[in-house]
Amino acid sequence: MKTEKTQQKSSYFEKRERNLMKWVGYWRRNPQIFVKDYLGVNLKPYQKLLFYMMNKVDFFMYIAARGRIRIPCPDQ
């Protein structure tokens, strides 16, 4: 027989687990949002697209080059 306090604890943990599973499902569908929310990394639009496409398609290939974005050096 469960006491009222143990019922409250179990209902709290059950509710917490349900909410966690909702967030996990949301983040699995939107990995670019997971990176922003959970890891705290701000992505550029093309990076968001890459994360999204890596999750959606079975075969993904991104060929990156060193000259993708030019950042000016302060020395020059």
Side-chain angles (χ1 to χ4, degrees):
M1 190 171 207
K2 290 186 177 182
T3 64
E4 187 176 320
K5 193 171 186 177
T6 24
Q7 286 178 342
Q8 287 176 351
K9 277 187 179 180
S10 66
S11 67
Y12 167 77
F13 287 116
E14 289 169 359
K15 183 179 176 183
R16 185 176 167 193
E17 186 175 352
R18 279 194 309 270
N19 288 338
L20 178 66
M21 289 299 116
K22 287 179 184 178
W23 276 108
V24 167
Y26 175 72
W27 282 331
R28 283 184 180 166
R29 288 187 305 272
N30 302 291
Q32 72 281 5
I33 296 174
F34 172 78
V35 170
K36 185 183 76 163
D37 290 347
Y38 194 77
L39 300 177
V41 177
N42 290 324
L43 299 174
K44 294 186 181 347
Y46 79 93
Q47 292 170 321
K48 291 178 185 178
L49 179 65
L50 290 174
F51 270 105
Y52 181 77
M53 291 308 293
M54 280 188 255
N55 192 41
K56 291 297 175 190
V57 296
D58 292 333
F59 179 75
F60 179 84
M61 182 186 304
Y62 179 67
I63 301 173
R66 288 180 55 178
R68 171 65 187 93
I69 296 176
R70 296 259 182 219
I71 299 173
C73 283
D75 298 342
Q76 295 178 349

